[in-house]
Amino acid sequence: MPSGPVARDTSLDLPPGPRRSEEVVLDVRGLVKAYDDTAVLRGIDLTVAEHEVVTLIGSSGSGKSTLLRCAGVLEPISDGQILLDGQDISDPRVDADGVRARFGVVFQAFNLFPHMTVLDNITLAPRVVHGVPAKEARQRAEALLDRVGLADKADAYPDRLSGGQQQRAAIARAIAVEPRVLLLDEITSALDPELVGEVLALVRELAGGGATILMATHEMGFAKQVADHVVFLDQGVVCEEGPPARVLGEPTQPRTQEFLRRVIDAGRL
Amino acid sequence: MTLEQPTPLELSRRSLRARRSRRSTLTALASTLVFATVLYLAVTSAPGWPRTQATFLNPQVAWESLPKILEGLWLNIRVLAVAAVATLVLALVVALLRTLRGPVFLPLRLLATGFVDLFRGIPLIVLLYLIGFGVPALRFTDERINPVYLGTVALVLTYAAYVSEVFRAGIDSVHPSQRLGARSLGLSYGQSMKLVVLPQAVRRVTPPLLNDFVAMQKDVGLISLLGPLDAVRAAQIASQSTFNFTPYVVAALLFVLLSVPTARLADWASARATRREQSGAAL
Ligand SMILES: Nc1ncnc2c1ncn2[C@@H]1O[C@H](COP(=O)(O)OP(=O)(O)OP(=O)(O)O)[C@@H](O)[C@H]1O
Ligand SMILES: [Mg+2]
């Protein structure tokens, strides 16, 4: 496990907003998302700075997945603004496909394309979207697979992989395009407990290597150890946020306290 | 214990399994024989059997009509080949048009929906008559339009309407996160369709597609209604000149023979699809 080249300070209790002098990569301002007439997100403000790991926590239905999909321009938003490296990517005039190519996204399940080998899954976007020559894409993919511990699975089809291996391959695919931000949506929640560790270890390694990550998770222990910043979403608004030690250790909001109590009762902290 | 050197226990289990499978093969063989004999005796002991045999199963008539019917069948096969390819292409286009979203595509979507509603609703025989006799009546050209072409067009229109729905069901059955996953990698709508959604959809609908192909193999016989000398028409002519129905039986057997390989292929494809679904990890 790399100790992490990026120095992080998780003990300070700083006000919300850009917390460091580091450059803000993803900036979500007043994001509103409604399906039909029900608002799922009701004015979300959130920033992710370069090399920062921000985790979203909150009960089921609080809007974590919706927030990640909106941030990754996979869904139109109802109001507000999303900036990526200062560019307003919620502007309908921007090239949405080009913007999406700057994100790496991993969902809870069904990430890999079942009709392609693991290697083809990983080389698809580099070849088709970024115009990397096939041979070079292949070499890079092999290096990536080696890094995620799947060097021997390059030519396997996804249904021959365990759930943990599938998610690691999905992460490899997401980082193959060298994204500015990784959006991870509960990537371990469909896994058997003994497979969760291997996937989280990989995320931890990426974080240590300086990746910029926004992730929704139910793994509070993981959030506590790896996150720089924890955002607690409740009914479509940011209810409480701050360094993990404070938000998870001594929450001030009653809703957060209640949520954490339930999590502890369920044995997940 | 290695895989190459099974334990005596495993060896005894294997020989038991082999004995069991031998026994069940024998049982199947015996029951088939018994069943066939009973059926044969029942049919041949029927009071009308000698007459039926003479008018439907006359070996001499069968032998004499065979060359002409085979020649006709060759036409059916050629029509089938062209119609099958044209159907696949047209059906795919219609299915893709129907999946387009957004107000810009409304006219195209409506057109595709109308196409499916219309040609799925018209009985094939009626469509054959409408196109086979209606289009020549319009007199686009002075020359006579080959009825084979017109029959093929009718066949393609009807089958494309059906098959496009099969394709659409296949496209819809691909999990939404596959599409989302493709888009999240920066693939355009067209690229996601072509590289991610369609390959999966086509795999899934291969068994029903083959089933439709079997149906089409016999429906090509309907073009005989427009006059071309295909297997059915050849059988009809032979039957009228001999006052015997045997040529129809010959044609029927030939159509069955034609469809058996596809039917087996369909079985195999659907068994494989089932296996895949079941072995596919939950994730
Ligand atoms: N496509 C949609 N159409 C309508 N409502 C939706 C849609 N997607 C999500 N929602 C609603 O939005 C709310 C938030 O959903 P979301 O999936 O973002 O929650 P979540 O925090 O990710 O929950 P979980 O922890 O269970 O994954 C839910 O009430 C859900 O019913
Ligand atoms: Mg979710």
Side-chain angles (χ1 to χ4, degrees), chain B residues 138-189:
Chain B
L138 293 172
R139 291 177 190 274
F140 284 121
T141 60
D142 287 337
E143 291 156 49
R144 186 174 157 277
I145 307 174
N146 189 338
V148 173
Y149 299 158
L150 297 172
T152 309
V153 168
L155 205 61
V156 169
L157 289 176
T158 298
Y159 271 86
Y162 273 104
V163 171
S164 79
E165 288 297 277
V166 175
F167 274 134
R168 196 163 69 110
I171 291 171
D172 286 346
S173 77
V174 175
H175 198 277
S177 66
Q178 288 287 308
R179 203 172 312 218
L180 215 56
R183 298 312 296 277
S184 80
L185 289 170
L187 269 66
S188 68
Y189 179 84

Side-chain angles (χ1 to χ4, degrees), chain B residues 125-280:
Chain B
I125 290 201
V126 177
L127 189 66
L128 272 166
Y129 282 136
L130 286 179
I131 290 181
F133 301 128
V135 172
L138 293 172
R139 291 177 190 274
F140 284 121
T141 60
D142 287 337
E143 291 156 49
R144 186 174 157 277
I145 307 174
N146 189 338
V148 173
Y149 299 158
L150 297 172
T152 309
V153 168
L155 205 61
V156 169
L157 289 176
T158 298
Y159 271 86
Y162 273 104
V163 171
S164 79
E165 288 297 277
V166 175
F167 274 134
R168 196 163 69 110
I171 291 171
D172 286 346
S173 77
V174 175
H175 198 277
S177 66
Q178 288 287 308
R179 203 172 312 218
L180 215 56
R183 298 312 296 277
S184 80
L185 289 170
L187 269 66
S188 68
Y189 179 84
Q191 287 170 332
S192 324
M193 258 299 170
K194 189 176 108 196
L195 299 169
V196 174
V197 177
L198 276 183
Q200 295 183 52
V202 168
R203 254 157 239 238
R204 252 176 243 188
V205 298
T206 303
L209 280 183
L210 284 170
N211 195 36
D212 279 339
F213 185 63
V214 174
M216 195 183 209
Q217 284 182 332
K218 60 193 167 56
D219 279 353
V220 284
L222 286 173
I223 60 164
S224 64
L225 290 172
L226 302 179
L229 204 63
D230 78 329
V232 178
R233 184 94 180 97
Q236 190 184 18
I237 292 170
S239 160
Q240 278 162 0
S241 64
T242 56
F243 302 105
N244 192 297
F245 288 113
T246 306
Y248 283 120
V249 176
V250 173
L253 285 177
L254 289 177
F255 274 107
V256 171
L257 281 181
L258 189 64
S259 73
V260 165
T262 324
R264 287 294 81 74
L265 192 66
D267 288 349
W268 174 80
S270 89
R272 195 186 57 157
T274 316
R275 233 184 3 257
R276 280 205 172 179
E277 301 275 288
Q278 285 165 354
S279 79

Side-chain angles (χ1 to χ4, degrees), chain B residues 50-134:
Chain B
R51 259 200 86 149
T52 314
Q53 194 179 22
T55 38
F56 283 89
L57 301 168
N58 184 324
Q60 202 193 335
V61 173
W63 183 247
E64 277 163 10
S65 63
L66 186 63
K68 283 266 184 268
I69 297 178
L70 271 179
E71 212 170 289
L73 192 70
W74 176 232
L75 176 65
N76 290 118
I77 292 173
R78 280 177 297 163
V79 168
L80 179 68
V82 173
V85 173
T87 298
L88 282 180
V89 173
L90 183 59
L92 194 59
V93 170
V94 172
L96 285 176
L97 288 183
R98 287 195 78 175
T99 59
L100 289 179
R101 290 282 157 260
V104 195
F105 299 114
L106 183 72
L108 288 176
R109 214 158 51 228
L110 281 183
L111 196 71
T113 312
F115 175 88
V116 174
D117 286 349
L118 184 67
F119 291 112
R120 209 168 41 159
I122 303 181
L124 178 54
I125 290 201
V126 177
L127 189 66
L128 272 166
Y129 282 136
L130 286 179
I131 290 181
F133 301 128

